[in-house]
Structure formats: structure tokens, C-alpha cells
């Protein structure tokens, strides 16, 4: 089963604050549907008065997925929205075309009352939040929760009561011991999903080996061990890179995406967003001011592949394995809320980008779902309006997977890279290509310097080209990786570049005076391919995430430097 969650409200009674947070993510056509609802009921509801959620779809014809008997419809792909309202003990399912030319009230269904007296606004088509692809098909009436663990990491029993250890992965197996609350153990193998809905892991607790349950029905008994407390740090510069070491790490069922969130208008410490791998929750938000506390979870999402965070630090853009683009509110003092789910592509999203002015975002992954069904929709980039969460159009031209996206500082241009060996530069105003750079080999990652003049280009063979954009000429080629360069990122003043590669290494380059002979500083520790690396906005930390299921914090311990 695959979860399709949008702005879903689990119960009818909801706080006004939460509702207004989500209202920011709805496109304008929701007002057409709401106006029709009020006309139908003789009411004057606003979005703050009722429970609602929405989704954007590319429908195969103008029926918007709601054909009526005896009617004919234009047989062309039609971009539209689905708006679902709960009011007067009914669920109203509306469909509205993106150009607002079509509006249907598709269905009206009664609200079902839960055993605890709350009312569910979840229609029948919404599947279980706990479907887990790592588990077999569950027995009737059973669903498997997501797992936050994986093998070859440490985990802990949640503080409080102990967790039982059994001889086999079953509640019917003999109890052979227990692990006290808060205690740490090594995870050996799993998960084993039993016929009662429990997820089991074989663990080693101080030499004692047995099976312990991670949880059931969304109730977690064990969890990843939070990161160690970070020491006092200082800004990483070209002069002190030799002091950069691993300061802490977080191990869990981690995926590929990593992004920093820091509000540049405040002195709040940065937060690190990391994505989960197959079978897990969407991801974790780690507060660097309190890394020793359990991270917050983006629960209920499909497997997320890439991540970035807007300048305001509270809106995260994520790509998923099902080709969707997700907007999440990750505000520090509020619950994590998924604001939008946009089915933009038919394959895992490989790159996402926010424009610096926060008005546009873009994504890539396989075939793009665009209004015109064309062959060159394969590898096209989708471009979206942030305020209305509306598809503006597509950028067509690449002939292989798009691996990197970055906006220029004035938000007028988008730069993309691809395994087809081309860098393409696109005008956002006209959604047209303005120029290109041909590298001659597959490009795996890009990064743009803060002064907008230097583009770092990572390749499949491990080289990194530094390219001067104003003159469209190569400046230098950096050699240090022995496998594909998977990620690149400049620090805030552009004199340092961090790179990650398939060769398990994180390299730190001084590019203040670009030179092909420069020797990088090697940050050793990861034991598998690096997926993403990035400087924190304040320049004091580097984050990295790897296939070794760890996210690591690199920096300088200010107490150890004179």
C-alpha cells in the first residue's frame, strides 16, 4: 500500500492556528469550491471554520476524475485540483480545473464517528498511514507502522519502562530478558513483521542477544539514539580547515536528503533536516541547540529523496520516491505540518530548488506531468508558483536525468545539470532556455557561489569543474574524488567548497584562488557513499548524510583551538 496524504486533518475539531498555517498553502481555486459549498448549504463558511484538505492532479480528461453518466468530456490532460471539505457532518469532494473553467461537486459522503467520539474526515480512498514496504502484505485488520531503525546502528529503549527481549520475533516466544528504559543497544538484523502488527529487531544489549519489538500501531517502544551535544563551534575558514573534525552524528534509517534551516533574521541556532529511507517516516528535524534531544519526525510521508529549505527557514521543499513534491511547515514552535502534495513527476524526485525570493520552486524526476503530453516531458523540470502552489509550466531540453537545480540570487534564472553532460540556464519569466554549457561527461551535481559568478560542476568520473559564468569559461578542475561527485555546496562567502562522493569521502576545498593543483582537506569517517553535503548558513557546521545510515556534523570545537 502507498499512503497519499495531503493537507489531511484527522479530526474535525482543530485549532485555528493550525488551520491558518495550512490555509497559506492552498491555491486560489479553493475559493470557487468554497463559494459553491456555501451556496449549496446556505452558509458563509471560511476556511478557518471547517476541516479541509486539497491535492493537485493531472487528470486524463476534462471530467477531472469525476465523470457523470451521459456526459462527454474533452480527451486531453487537464490540470485540476481536488478540494475536500467537512461540514454539516458530511464530506464534500470538489474538483476544479486549474484555469477555474470547470467546477464539479463530485460526491457527498457522511462523516463517520470514531470510537472515541471524534469524527474522522478521512475518505475511504485514504490508505493506512502505517503501510510499510519492508513488511509483507499484512493480515486482514492489521497494518504495519513505519520503522525508524535499520541494521548496524545503535538505538535505545525510550525513557521509562523497560522493553522485553524474546528468543524469537513474537510476543508468544519465551522472554529471555529486558532492556531498561533509556538504555542503548546495537541493532543486528530486522525488521521482522509478525501477524499481530509488531515490528521486531534482533539486538545486542551488552553481549545479550535477542529480539525486541520496535512498536505497533504507531506506538514506538524503541528509537534512534539522539546525537551527542554539540560543543561550542566557530566559523570554518580557509585558515582553520585543518581543525575540522566530526563533532556528532545521528544514526537511523536514513535516506539521501539533507538541508539546513536557519532564519537569517534571528540568532536562532540552525536546524538540520534529514530524510528517511524505504519503510521509514518522512524524515527528522534536528535542532543543533539541543542535539541530545530526540529529533522531531515528519510522520506519515512516503520515502523522501531530496530536501531544501526556504530562506524563511520554516518551509521545507521535499521530493519523494513516488515523484511528488511536498511542502512542509517545520516551524520550531509548532507541529510539523505537510502543507502541500504535488504529483509533478512519475519517478523519484532527484533535485529540488527554492528561488531566493520565495516565489518559485522547481523539481525534477523522470517524466514531468505537464499540460501537454509530449515525448520531451521525459526529464523535463516542473516550475511552480509558491503562493498559489500552482504549476507554471515545464522546462524541456535535457535528454537524461536532471541531477541538480539552483536559482540565481535575483530569482530570474534557473540553472540545471544532467547526466546528458549539459548545464542549461533557463529564464523563469519566459520559461525558456537562454544558454547552455557542454561538459562532455555526465554531470552529477552543481553549486553556485554566493557572488553568482562561479559554478561548481561535479561529474561521474570524480572531477569538479569550476566555471566562470560571466565569461562562460572554465577556471580550474579539482581532482580528489575517485568516484562520482554526488553533492557540492559553497560556504556563505564562497571561498570554501565542500564535496561528497561515491568514494565515501567528504572533501573541503579552498577555492579563494581557484587552482587545479589545490589539495583538499579530507573529512574521514563515513563508511559508504555520501549522498548530500552542505554548510550551515552560519558557516560553523557542515552536514553530511551517507548510505551508512548516518548524518554527521563536522566543525571546529572552539574549546580545543587556541
Amino acid at each position: 500500500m502507498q499512503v497519499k496524504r495531503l493537507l489531511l486533518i484527522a479530526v474535525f475539531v482543530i485549532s485555528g492556528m493550525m488551520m491558518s498555517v495550512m490555509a497559506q498553502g492552498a491555491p486560489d481555486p479553493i475559493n470557487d469550491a468554497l463559494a459553491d459549498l456555501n451556496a449549496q448549504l446556505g452558509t458563509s463558511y471560511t476556511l478557518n471554520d471547517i476541516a479541509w484538505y486539497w491535492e493537485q492532479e493531472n487528470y486524463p480528461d476534462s471530467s477531472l476524475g469525476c465523470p457523470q453518466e451521459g456526459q462527454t468530456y474533452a480527451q486531453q490532460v487537464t490540470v485540476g485540483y481536488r478540494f475536500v471539505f467537512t461540514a454539516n457532518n458530511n464530506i464534500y469532494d470538489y474538483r476544479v480545473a486549474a484555469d477555474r473553467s470547470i467546477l464539479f461537486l463530485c460526491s457527498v459522503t457522511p462523516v463517520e464517528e470514531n470510537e472515541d467520539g471524534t469524527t474522522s474526515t478521512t475518505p475511504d480512498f485514504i490508505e493506512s498511514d502505517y503501510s510499510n514496504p519492508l513488511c509483507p502484505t499484512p493480515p486482514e485488520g492489521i497494518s504495519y507502522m513505519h520503522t525508524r531503525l535499520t541494521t548496524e546502528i545503535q538505538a535505545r529503549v525510550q525513557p521509562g519502562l523497560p522493553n522485553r527481549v524474546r528468543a524469537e520475533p513474537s510476543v508468544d516466544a519465551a522472554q529471555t530478558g529486558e532492556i531498561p528504559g533509556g538504555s542503548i543497544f546495537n541493532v543486528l538484523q530486522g525488521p521482522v513483521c509478525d501477524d499481530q502488527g509488531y515490528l521486531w529487531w534482533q539486538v545486542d544489549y551488552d553481549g545479550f542477544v535477542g529480539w525486541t519489538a520496535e512498536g505497533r500501531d504507531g506506538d514506538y517502544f524503541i528509537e534512534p539514539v539522539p546525537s551527542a551535544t554539540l560543543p561550542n563551534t566557530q566559523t570554518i575558514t580557509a585558515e582553520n580547515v585543518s581543525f575540522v573534525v566530526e563533532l556528532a552524528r545521528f544514526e537511523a534509517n536514513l535516506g539521501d536528503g539533507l538541508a539546513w534551516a536557519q532564519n537569517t533574521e534571528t540568532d536562532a541556532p540552525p536546524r538540520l533536516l534529514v530524510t528517511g529511507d524505504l519503510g521509514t517516516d518522512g524524515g527528522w528535524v534536528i535542532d543543533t541547540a539541543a542535539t541530545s534531544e530526540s529529533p522531531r519526525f515528519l510522520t506519515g510521508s512516503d520515502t523522501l529523496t531530496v530536501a531544501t529549505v526556504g530562506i524563511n527557514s520554516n518551509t521545507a521543499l521535499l521530493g519523494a520516491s513516488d515523484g511528488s513534491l511536498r511542502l512542509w511547515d517545520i516551524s520550531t514552535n509548532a507541529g510539523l505540518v505537510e502543507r502541500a502534495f504535488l504529483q509533478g513527476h512519475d519517478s523519484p524526485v532527484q533535485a529540488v530548488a527554492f528561488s531566493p525570493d520565495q516565489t518559485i520552486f522547481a523539481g525534477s524526476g523522470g517524466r514531468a506531468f505537464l499540460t501537454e503530453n509530449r515525448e520531451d516531458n521525459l526529464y523535463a523540470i516542473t516550475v511552480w508558483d509558491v503562493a498559489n502552489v500552482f504549476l507554471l509550466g515545464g522546462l524541456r531540453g535535457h535528454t537524461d536525468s536532471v541531477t541538480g537545480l539552483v536559482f540565481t540570487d535575483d530569482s530570474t534564472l534557473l540553472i540545471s545539470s544532467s547526466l546528458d553532460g549539459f548545464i542549461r540556464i533557463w529564464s523563469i519569466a519566459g520559461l525558456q532556455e537562454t544558454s547552455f554549457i557542454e561538459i562532455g561527461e555526465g554531470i552529477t551535481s552543481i553549486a553556485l557561489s554566493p557572488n553568482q559568478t562561479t559554478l561548481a560542476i561535479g561529474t561521474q568520473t570524480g572531477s569538479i569543474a569550476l566555471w566562470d559564468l560571466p565569461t562562460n569559461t572554465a577556471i580550474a578542475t579539482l581532482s580528489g574524488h575517485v568516484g562520482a561527485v554526488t553533492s557540492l555546496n559553497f560556504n556563505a562567502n564562497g571561498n570554501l567548497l565542500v564535496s561528497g562522493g561515491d568514494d565515501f569521502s567528504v572533501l573541503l576545498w579552498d577555492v579563494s584562488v581557484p587552482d587545479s593543483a589545490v589539495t583538499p582537506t579530507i573529512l574521514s569517517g563515513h563508511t559508504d557513499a555520501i549522498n548530500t553535503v552542505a554548510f550551515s548558513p552560519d558557516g560553523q557546521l557542515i552536514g553530511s548524510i551517507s548510505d551508512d545510515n548516518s548524518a554527521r556534523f563536522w566543525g571546529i570545537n572552539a574549546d580545543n583551538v587556541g
Side-chain angles (χ1 to χ4, degrees):
M1 292 186 297
Q2 185 176 23
V3 181
K4 193 165 189 180
R5 279 168 41 104
L6 309 137
L7 295 178
L8 178 63
I9 314 304
V11 292
F12 183 77
V13 180
I14 214 171
S15 75
M17 178 186 71
M18 175 90 59
M19 206 55 172
S20 72
V21 166
M22 289 184 291
Q24 297 170 12
D28 285 344
I30 196 172
N31 296 314
D32 300 346
L34 183 62
D36 188 83
L37 176 69
N38 282 322
Q40 295 268 354
L41 302 181
T43 54
S44 55
Y45 288 129
T46 70
L47 292 178
N48 288 325
D49 299 325
I50 56 177
W52 57 274
Y53 69 91
W54 70 276
E55 64 178 323
Q56 181 266 340
E57 292 282 357
N58 295 288
Y59 295 99
D61 56 47
S62 61
S63 72
L64 305 183
C66 189
Q68 305 297 310
E69 186 175 352
Q71 299 295 314
T72 59
Y73 300 96
Q75 297 303 300
Q76 62 185 26
V77 174
T78 305
V79 180
Y81 296 100
R82 183 179 198 177
F83 301 111
V84 180
F85 304 110
T86 298
N88 290 18
N89 293 317
N90 286 312
I91 299 171
Y92 297 84
D93 184 347
Y94 276 92
R95 312 297 171 87
V96 184
D99 64 5
R100 306 173 82 164
S101 63
I102 304 169
L103 183 147
F104 296 133
L105 174 56
C106 190
S107 65
V108 181
T109 55
V111 170
E112 295 181 1
E113 186 170 313
N114 301 322
E115 292 181 359
D116 61 2
T118 61
T119 55
S120 173
T121 65
T122 308
D124 292 340
F125 65 84
I126 299 293
E127 298 182 11
S128 168
D129 284 348
Y130 304 118
S131 57
N132 190 329
L134 298 179
C135 296
T137 302
E140 184 69 25
I142 298 293
S143 60
Y144 294 117
M145 58 193 267
H146 295 149
T147 178
R148 297 170 177 173
L149 306 183
T150 189
T151 57
E152 300 181 0
I153 68 168
Q154 289 192 320
R156 73 175 185 181
V157 176
Q158 293 213 32
L161 296 176
N163 217 44
R164 295 171 181 172
V165 178
R166 298 186 182 274
E168 301 292 338
S170 170
V171 291
D172 298 324
Q175 181 179 340
T176 56
E178 64 181 27
I179 306 175
S183 297
I184 296 174
F185 52 85
N186 295 311
V187 181
L188 303 180
Q189 61 174 308
V192 174
C193 311
D194 70 15
D195 59 6
Q196 298 183 52
Y198 287 95
L199 272 61
W200 296 86
W201 295 89
Q202 188 183 49
V203 302
D204 180 343
Y205 173 59
D206 288 341
F208 175 72
V209 176
W211 292 86
T212 194
E214 182 176 3
R216 183 186 185 216
D217 292 335
D219 186 12
Y220 290 88
F221 312 146
I222 57 181
E223 64 181 359
V225 179
S227 169
T229 300
L230 290 173
N232 294 322
T233 56
Q234 62 185 53
T235 302
I236 302 169
T237 67
E239 291 72 35
N240 62 20
V241 292
S242 61
F243 294 101
V244 176
V245 296
E246 180 185 324
L247 300 176
R249 73 178 69 168
F250 174 67
E251 295 180 327
N253 186 15
L254 297 178
D256 300 342
L258 173 149
W260 288 98
Q262 179 164 322
N263 192 328
T264 56
E265 297 178 357
T266 72
D267 294 327
R271 291 163 287 150
L272 188 66
L273 170 64
V274 293
T275 64
D277 204 356
L278 184 67
T280 191
D281 286 299
W284 292 264
V285 178
I286 305 170
D287 185 351
T288 59
T291 50
S292 61
E293 298 180 3
S294 296
R296 296 189 296 158
F297 297 96
L298 278 63
T299 57
S301 286
D302 298 316
T303 304
L304 299 174
T305 52
V306 287
T308 189
V309 177
I311 296 297
N312 69 10
S313 82
N314 290 329
T315 301
L317 171 63
L318 300 134
S321 60
D322 63 0
S324 65
L325 298 165
R326 313 291 188 89
L327 288 174
W328 277 77
D329 187 323
I330 59 169
S331 303
T332 302
N333 298 317
L336 299 172
V337 176
E338 186 173 25
R339 290 177 49 195
F341 175 114
L342 304 161
Q343 195 63 52
H345 302 268
D346 72 348
S347 301
V349 175
Q350 294 184 286
V352 291
F354 255 130
S355 65
D357 66 5
Q358 296 290 280
T359 63
I360 304 292
F361 64 87
S364 65
R367 183 177 299 278
F369 293 128
L370 299 171
T371 53
E372 296 180 79
N373 188 14
R374 295 168 29 174
E375 289 186 5
D376 56 358
N377 285 352
L378 183 61
Y379 310 126
I381 300 161
T382 55
V383 182
W384 305 79
D385 177 274
V386 172
N388 296 311
V389 198
F390 176 73
L391 179 65
L392 293 174
L395 305 176
R396 301 176 175 96
H398 283 297
T399 58
D400 207 335
S401 297
V402 175
T403 56
L405 296 170
V406 60
F407 282 93
T408 55
D409 197 42
D410 61 5
S411 302
T412 61
L413 300 175
L414 177 69
I415 303 173
S416 62
S417 64
S418 169
L419 293 180
D420 64 12
F422 282 85
I423 299 290
R424 299 188 184 276
I425 302 175
W426 312 84
S427 165
I428 293 302
L431 293 181
Q432 294 179 334
E433 182 178 335
T434 61
S435 60
F436 67 86
I437 302 168
E438 185 175 3
I439 297 299
E441 61 176 307
I443 303 168
T444 49
S445 56
I446 54 173
L448 182 62
S449 66
N451 66 5
Q452 310 293 288
T453 62
T454 303
L455 187 69
I457 305 169
T459 67
Q460 288 180 309
T461 59
S463 64
I464 301 170
L466 298 181
W467 202 271
D468 184 68
L469 290 178
T471 62
N472 197 22
T473 57
I475 303 172
T477 299
L478 308 179
S479 299
H481 288 288
V482 294
V485 179
T486 54
S487 182
L488 294 164
N489 187 244
F490 284 96
N491 68 346
N493 64 16
N495 64 352
L496 293 176
L497 176 72
V498 63
S499 62
D502 278 344
D503 55 5
F504 308 177
S505 64
V506 177
L507 304 183
L508 195 53
W509 308 83
D510 179 0
V511 292
S512 55
V513 181
D515 185 345
S516 295
V518 65
T519 300
T521 298
I522 302 173
L523 306 183
S524 301
H526 282 295
T527 58
D528 211 328
I530 312 301
N531 296 315
T532 309
V533 292
F535 279 96
S536 62
D538 61 9
Q540 297 193 14
L541 293 168
I542 296 169
S544 61
I545 191 169
S546 164
D547 283 343
D548 64 12
N549 290 299
S550 72
R552 307 195 183 207
F553 297 90
W554 309 85
I556 298 171
N557 187 334
D559 296 332
N560 294 340
V561 178

